Structure formats: structure tokens, C-alpha cells
Amino acid sequence: MSGSRERILARVRAAVRDAPEVEIPRAHHTAGSPEGAAAERFAERVGDYRASVHIAPEADAPALIAEALDRRGVRRIVVPGGLDAEWAAAVPAAAVLRDEPPLAASALDVADGVITGCAVAVAETGTIVLDAGPGQGRRALTLIPDYHLCLVRAAQIVPGVPEAIAALDPARPLTWISGPSATSDIELDRVEGVHGPRTLEVVIVTQ
């Protein structure tokens, strides 16, 4: 089998040996788009994943955060270090859980949720990417609690995956989130919350 493979590859190499180099156009994958259009596309895609989505100007974000937490009856929510000060201030002081020192998995499991920012978001796929940077915390914070409230600035939304890859540091611990955690068994019965939050709520913050 390996001999046949080598013979086939040798013939291919011989056939293209004198072929000119051709630059492959990729503009159709990476063409930019206006910030507003990217935000709308991202909101549409995230909604397809059964996430709750809101679009709000910067000034309205704190009120929207407070409303979201009140609506869910949140009593204890993890607030990672480095979260935007106005966003963090929207969380009732009595409900704040700090991950300093790091919370045990048992403490994260009984928390009502976590609020974070993100590193980048992808309009075409409705994907949020976390890299454990400021306002995001370590990976466990967004995998164990049952509810994740994520704030995404419109300026962080890129058209597609190639732009996201270009904007990210591959040396950082990247978590790619496309909607609430869900899986299906062999009979295709959907089960949510197995590998991460059962509920994902996204606030897209515009200028």
C-alpha cells in the first residue's frame, strides 16, 4: 500500500514540476465589513444557537447587565479581574464572587453564573473566543457555572474565522464558544449544559 502511495505521489510531483506558481485569491474569505453589519450578522448567528442576544450602546450596557441578572434571580455571580469597571459596577456588590484566590470547582458549581468580556467574536459563525485575558478569567470560570453573561464590543467582532485567527495569540488558552453547551446522544436527543453553561446571554456593546 505504501509503495502504491509513493508511486502516485511521484507521478503528481512530476506532472506539476514545471507548473507556474499561482497565488490563490482569498479576498472572498477575508473581505472586511462595516462594524454595524458585522454586529447584526453576529447577533443573528448567536441567536441561531439558542443564546439570548441584546444590542445596546455603551451607556446602556450597565442597566442591561443589571436587568439580565435580576431577571435570572442571580444571587452569586463570578466577576473576573479586569472586567470593565462600569460593567462590574452593575453587579450588586453582595452578589460578586471573586476568583482571588482561585475558587474551587465546587464553589463554581454552586455559583449562579459568570460575567465576562471576550477576546474576539466571529460574525459568520456566531462564535465567541476567550483567551483568559482581562475581564475573562481562567477557563474554568466559563465552563462550570450554568449561566454565562458575555459582553462583546462591536469593535471586537470580525467577519470570519481567518480574521479571528489573525487577531489571537495562539500561545494563549483559547476557548471557542458557539452558543450554550449542547450535545446529542446516539438517538439525537439534545442535552444542554454537559460541557459548559446551559444558558448563554450575549450583550453586544456598540459605540
Side-chain angles (χ1 to χ4, degrees):
M1 181 64 72
S2 61
S4 298
R5 177 177 179 275
E6 290 305 319
R7 286 195 295 271
I8 292 171
L9 290 176
R11 290 177 183 176
V12 171
R13 294 187 189 101
V16 301
R17 182 178 297 120
D18 299 322
E21 291 289 336
V22 177
E23 182 177 351
I24 300 174
R26 301 184 186 276
H28 60 290
H29 291 303
T30 59
S33 59
E35 184 176 292
E40 290 179 6
R41 180 65 166 168
F42 173 71
E44 176 186 349
R45 290 293 190 174
V46 170
D48 288 343
Y49 290 124
R50 303 187 188 183
S52 298
V53 189
H54 316 274
I55 300 179
E58 181 84 37
D60 294 345
L64 218 162
I65 292 169
E67 290 172 9
L69 299 183
D70 182 65
R71 185 168 54 249
R72 286 192 59 85
V74 168
R75 294 172 298 175
R76 300 291 278 167
I77 187 165
V78 182
V79 181
L83 186 70
D84 180 279
E86 292 191 358
W87 300 349
V91 180
V96 173
L97 276 176
R98 297 289 183 185
D99 192 40
E100 301 167 355
L103 295 165
S106 57
L108 293 174
D109 188 45
V110 297
D112 293 315
V114 60
I115 176 173
T116 74
C118 74
V120 72
V122 184
E124 187 59 33
T125 62
T127 301
I128 295 166
V129 187
L130 308 178
D131 67 358
Q136 299 166 58
R138 57 195 174 99
R139 181 173 288 167
L141 302 190
T142 53
L143 291 179
I144 299 177
D146 203 45
Y147 168 66
H148 183 186
L149 176 59
C150 185
L151 289 104
V152 178
R153 294 189 183 279
Q156 293 177 301
I157 302 173
V158 297
V161 173
E163 292 90 345
I165 294 295
L168 293 165
D169 180 353
R172 298 189 65 82
L174 303 178
T175 303
W176 297 66
I177 303 168
S178 295
S181 168
T183 189
S184 296
D185 61 17
I186 195 170
E187 295 182 353
L188 300 183
D189 291 325
R190 180 183 173 95
V191 180
E192 297 180 347
V194 177
H195 308 297
R198 192 188 317 271
T199 303
L200 174 65
E201 189 161 7
V202 180
V203 177
I204 301 170
V205 183
T206 61
Q207 293 297 324

